[in-house]
Amino acid sequence: MFATIVQKWNAFKADWKEYQRLRRVAGRAWHKLDRLRGKITVFCDKNGEARERRCIKTKLVDVPKLNRLDDMTGSSVAIVPYNVYCPFFKGRDLLDEEVVECGQADCPCHAANCEYANAAKEYETASARRRAFWGSKPKTK
């Protein structure tokens, strides 16, 4: 009986080590995706004008606060980021089923967009492996 417990414990330790490796791989893929998203994003000024052409334009918008708890901070306005996307952009935050590379080869962000799409696919694969890991393990009593 003791040998069975030791054997199960060792199997669990090996599984845990593999799961931690999958978590690290997914985490690195997420950081890579976030870094590459920065290459295709530009911040707009107060007038909504961007100094260069990118796939995602982020503008900070003032939104009035509506509930009394928010008014306790002393400010009646919240600043919220608002994204405007290129019509050809197919990304994760647009709820597309799949991230697709941009088809506009003459766009100055085409190479960065392709890198972003590949990184998004890499992250989805790594994340799916991590999520499915414990489900693929046989149940033991």
Side-chain angles (χ1 to χ4, degrees):
M1 178 167 159
F2 183 71
T4 305
I5 293 171
V6 170
Q7 181 182 14
K8 286 183 180 182
W9 175 251
N10 288 336
F12 175 75
K13 283 190 341 186
D15 289 344
W16 182 252
K17 188 175 182 179
E18 177 64 17
Y19 178 73
Q20 292 299 320
R21 187 189 69 76
L22 291 173
R23 273 187 59 203
R24 282 191 303 276
V25 168
R28 282 193 297 267
W30 172 256
H31 288 296
K32 179 180 178 183
L33 179 65
D34 192 40
R35 181 177 47 81
L36 290 173
R37 182 184 170 87
K39 286 184 173 182
I40 61 172
T41 303
V42 66
F43 282 96
C44 298
D45 59 10
K46 289 188 177 198
N47 299 329
E49 299 294 322
R51 62 181 185 274
E52 51 190 291
R53 186 175 165 197
R54 298 277 178 97
C55 302
I56 304 170
K57 293 179 186 175
T58 300
K59 184 165 84 170
L60 298 176
V61 180
D62 296 336
V63 178
K65 294 181 180 178
L66 300 176
N67 63 21
R68 292 182 185 204
L69 290 175
D70 288 338
D71 288 336
M72 293 174 70
T73 61
S75 173
S76 61
V77 177
I79 298 174
V80 178
Y82 175 73
N83 293 331
V84 178
Y85 299 93
C86 172
F88 304 105
F89 181 74
K90 304 269 191 259
R92 291 178 37 91
D93 33 353
L94 295 180
L95 301 177
D96 289 331
E97 296 173 11
E98 183 178 328
V99 177
V100 181
E101 294 177 359
C102 179
Q104 299 296 316
D106 59 341
C107 178
C109 295
H110 179 71
N113 186 286
C114 291
E115 280 184 274
Y116 174 79
N118 291 334
K121 291 173 188 173
E122 181 182 324
Y123 170 70
E124 289 298 328
T125 302
S127 183
R129 282 187 193 144
R130 180 191 53 82
R131 284 191 308 268
F133 180 75
W134 290 114
S136 67
K137 295 295 168 192
K139 303 282 185 205
T140 58
K141 293 183 180 182

